[in-house]
């Protein structure tokens, strides 16, 4: 009986196990596995045929589509460059053909032109182009400086005759108009540069003839990458006219190989060579320092075709300058005032930082102020009933210059005066 009871119990357990297995979900019967990163299905590029791109992103790079794109872009860029080269060659060929036709026309014109064909009179060109007017203004505004005026006339003569040659069809070339003005401060360098700009504009060698004055501070930067934009901006302002670089030798610092001035000089040299028809560069400064500067930068010296030296003024010339300033401002200097002025100039010439015409201008400003104080005090004191006439407002007397002469005489020999 015991064995029968045990057999019935085992049959019952087996039935329960079979029922549990039948009811259990299929996933529960699978042995657990190590989790792995799921694969990501990648959409094939619709522009590429089936099977030409990767189906699963395994973490690498798609070399097939990327390579195709780079190749396509390279072919497109090469095609653009080829078209540009073809267009440039066609342009060059067209220009050469035009030059050849122009030369043939010129040769035919020269053969048919009689030898006595007039080009016009020099005086007509001088008058019509306004050159004579500018030279007259130079004589009117500047006292003395005969060598400078003669050199300006020589340049003007070259420009006038060059224009007459062009009228008859002769070959011409734009002459080197870059200049170097050497001399002490106040000798008229800026004034001559302005007149030269106006002459060049009248003759058609520059568009406007305006003058842009620049120094090292205007051209050279303080850090890497700053100099080129500053220099190019100043040159941009001067295009069509004259760029006057005052005290140009400060652009180069021989003691410092890393000085940024060298970069500014290289940019200037490039524009001087490539923009000769639209920019005239004038370098100005003391003669000895400019000579040293050219020895360091030979490329600059070779591009300067006109060197003009401005001598210092004599006492009588400075007195004439003072009379010109008085005339321009509607003042009248008495003879006694002129004598005192000359004594003041002689004293100032023996002191440091004498600046020729600039010193004269400062002296005239002081004399005008002294004259104003004198007339004002006299009117307040009741002279002439307090009335001030036109003669009083125009007169500069010896007393007005005596004040500044006494100051100069009382100062030490090495004192610095205006």
């Amino acid at each position: 009986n015991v064995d029968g009871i045990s057999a019935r119990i085992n049959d019952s357990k087996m039935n329960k196990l079979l029922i549990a297995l039948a009811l259990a979900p299929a996933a529960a019967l699978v042995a657990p596995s190590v989790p792995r990163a799921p694969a990501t299905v990648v959409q094939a590029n619709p522009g590429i045929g089936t099977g030409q791109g990767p189906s699963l992103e395994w973490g690498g790079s798609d070399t097939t589509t990327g390579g195709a794109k780079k190749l396509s872009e390279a072919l497109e860029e090469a095609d653009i460059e080829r078209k540009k080269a073809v267009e440039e060659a066609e342009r060059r060929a067209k220009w050469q053909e035009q030059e050849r036709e122009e030369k043939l026309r010129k040769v035919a014109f020269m053969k048919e032109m009689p030898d006595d064909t007039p080009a016009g009179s020099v005086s007509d060109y001088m008058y019509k182009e306004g050159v004579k007017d500018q030279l007259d203004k130079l004589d009117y505004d500047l006292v003395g400086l005969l060598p400078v005026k003669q050199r300006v006339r020589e340049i003007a003569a070259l420009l006038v005759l060059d224009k007459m040659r062009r009228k008859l069809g002769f070959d011409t070339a734009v002459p080197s108009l870059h200049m170097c003005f050497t001399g002490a401060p106040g000798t008229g360098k800026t004034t001559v540069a302005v007149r030269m700009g106006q002459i060049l504009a009248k003759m058609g060698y520059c568009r406007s003839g305006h003058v842009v004055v620049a120094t090292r501070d205007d051209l050279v930067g303080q850090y890497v990458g700053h100099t080129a934009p500053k220099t190019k901006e100043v040159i941009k302002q001067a295009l069509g006219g004259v760029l006057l670089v005052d005290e140009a030798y400060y652009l180069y610092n021989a003691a410092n190989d890393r000085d940024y001035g060298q970069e500014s000089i290289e940019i200037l040299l490039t524009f001087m060579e490539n923009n000769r028809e639209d920019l005239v560069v004038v370098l100005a400064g003391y003669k000895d320092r400019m000579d040293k500067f050219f020895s360091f930068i030979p490329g600059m010296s070779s591009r300067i075709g006109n060197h003009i030296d401005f001598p210092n003024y004599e006492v009588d010339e400075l007195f004439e300058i003072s009379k010109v300033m008085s005339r321009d401002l509607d003042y009248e200097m008495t003879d006694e005032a002129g004598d005192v002025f000359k004594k003041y100039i002689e004293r100032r010439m023996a002191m440091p930082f004498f600046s020729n015409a600039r010193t004269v201008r400062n002296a005239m400003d002081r004399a005008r102020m002294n004259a104003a104080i004198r007339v004002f005090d006299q009117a307040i004191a009741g002279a002439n009933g307090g009335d001030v006439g036109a003669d009083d407002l125009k007169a500069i007397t010896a007393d007005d210059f005596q004040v500044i002469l006494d100051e100069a005489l009382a100062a030490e020999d090495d004192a610095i005066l205006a």
Side-chain angles (χ1 to χ4, degrees):
N1 292 335
V2 173
D3 293 334
I5 294 171
S6 177
R8 285 196 296 270
I9 291 173
N10 290 334
D11 291 340
S12 176
K13 289 181 178 179
M14 181 61 68
N15 291 333
K16 290 180 179 179
L17 178 60
L18 291 173
I19 294 171
L21 290 174
L23 296 175
L29 301 178
V30 180
S33 60
V34 179
R36 291 184 297 179
T40 303
V41 179
V42 179
Q43 181 72 27
N45 192 331
I48 302 178
T50 305
Q52 294 185 9
S55 60
L56 295 178
E57 183 179 0
W58 56 273
S61 60
D62 183 359
T63 57
T64 304
T65 56
K69 289 181 180 177
K70 290 180 180 177
L71 178 60
S72 175
E73 292 173 357
L75 291 174
E76 184 178 355
E77 291 176 359
D79 188 54
I80 293 174
E81 292 297 326
R82 184 185 62 80
K83 289 180 179 178
K84 286 183 178 179
V86 171
E87 291 175 357
E88 180 63 26
E90 291 176 351
R91 254 196 317 268
R92 187 161 50 248
K94 184 178 180 181
W95 176 78
Q96 291 175 347
E97 180 64 21
Q98 290 175 347
E99 285 287 310
R100 189 182 68 82
E101 292 177 357
E102 179 65 25
K103 192 166 186 179
L104 290 175
R105 283 196 298 268
K106 186 180 293 185
V107 170
F109 175 78
M110 297 289 289
K111 288 181 177 179
E112 296 174 0
M113 182 181 65
D115 293 337
D116 58 350
T117 300
S121 66
V122 172
S123 59
D124 288 342
Y125 272 82
M126 292 282 287
Y127 179 77
K128 291 179 181 178
E129 303 298 337
V131 177
K132 186 177 185 302
D133 181 53
Q134 295 301 325
L135 294 177
D136 291 342
K137 286 183 179 179
L138 195 64
D139 279 334
Y140 185 78
D141 294 340
L142 284 183
V143 174
L145 297 180
L146 296 181
V148 175
K149 294 177 180 177
Q150 179 61 31
R151 188 73 178 108
V152 173
R153 281 190 173 85
E154 292 171 358
I155 296 174
L158 171 63
L159 301 182
V160 169
L161 270 296
D162 188 66
K163 195 156 190 176
M164 296 177 73
R165 285 174 55 87
R166 277 187 286 172
K167 180 181 178 181
L168 293 183
F170 291 110
D171 283 331
T172 60
V174 177
S176 176
L177 296 173
H178 301 308
M179 307 178 192
C180 176
F181 292 171
T182 55
T187 50
K189 296 187 291 295
T190 303
T191 301
V192 173
V194 171
R195 290 285 173 259
M196 281 304 306
Q198 293 169 344
I199 291 174
L200 295 175
K202 295 288 186 182
M203 296 299 298
Y205 284 92
C206 58
R207 287 181 282 120
S208 61
H210 66 287
V211 176
V212 174
V213 181
T215 61
R216 176 187 168 91
D217 291 340
D218 301 309
L219 299 170
V220 181
Q222 301 298 321
Y223 50 85
V224 175
H226 191 208
T227 296
K230 288 188 70 173
T231 302
K232 290 179 181 178
E233 178 60 28
V234 173
I235 293 175
K236 181 180 177 182
Q237 296 173 9
L239 286 176
V242 177
L243 173 60
L244 174 62
V245 183
D246 198 15
E247 296 182 313
Y249 32 76
Y250 286 128
L251 291 178
Y252 182 78
N253 185 359
N256 185 2
D257 294 337
R258 297 183 178 181
D259 184 67
Y260 300 133
Q262 181 66 36
E263 182 181 2
S264 179
I265 293 172
E266 292 172 358
I267 295 173
L268 274 175
L269 288 173
T270 301
F271 273 88
M272 289 171 67
E273 185 65 26
N274 299 337
N275 297 79
R276 288 184 299 171
E277 298 182 0
D278 200 35
L279 177 68
V280 176
V281 175
V282 178
L283 306 180
Y286 289 100
K287 181 172 176 54
D288 55 342
R289 297 184 186 180
M290 288 303 302
D291 291 341
K292 190 174 182 180
F293 171 71
F294 287 138
S295 68
F296 287 124
I297 315 292
M300 183 70 78
S301 177
S302 63
R303 286 171 173 80
I304 302 294
N306 302 280
H307 293 260
I308 304 178
D309 186 51
F310 289 68
N312 289 321
Y313 287 105
E314 300 295 335
V315 174
D316 290 338
E317 292 176 330
L318 293 171
F319 175 57
E320 291 298 322
I321 291 174
S322 70
K323 292 199 294 185
V324 170
M325 293 180 179
S326 299
R327 177 198 67 202
D328 292 342
L329 295 173
D330 292 324
Y331 278 95
E332 294 179 358
M333 291 174 57
T334 63
D335 294 338
E336 295 78 7
D339 294 336
V340 178
F341 173 81
K342 290 180 181 180
K343 294 179 181 178
Y344 170 76
I345 291 298
E346 290 173 352
R347 171 59 178 162
R348 277 295 285 114
M349 291 177 74
M351 300 176 71
F353 301 107
F354 177 73
S355 300
N356 291 281
R358 294 179 188 173
T359 299
V360 173
R361 182 179 60 197
N362 293 337
M364 292 301 300
D365 289 341
R366 287 288 308 278
R368 288 171 52 207
M369 183 176 67
N370 294 335
I373 295 172
R374 172 177 52 79
V375 173
F376 180 83
D377 290 343
Q378 290 176 353
I380 291 297
N384 297 325
D387 293 334
V388 177
D391 292 340
D392 298 324
L393 296 175
K394 293 169 60 178
I396 295 180
T397 66
D399 293 338
D400 302 325
F401 282 112
Q402 189 65 45
V403 175
I404 59 176
L405 174 59
D406 292 340
E407 292 178 358
L409 292 173
E412 299 292 336
D413 291 342
D414 59 350
I416 299 176
L417 298 179

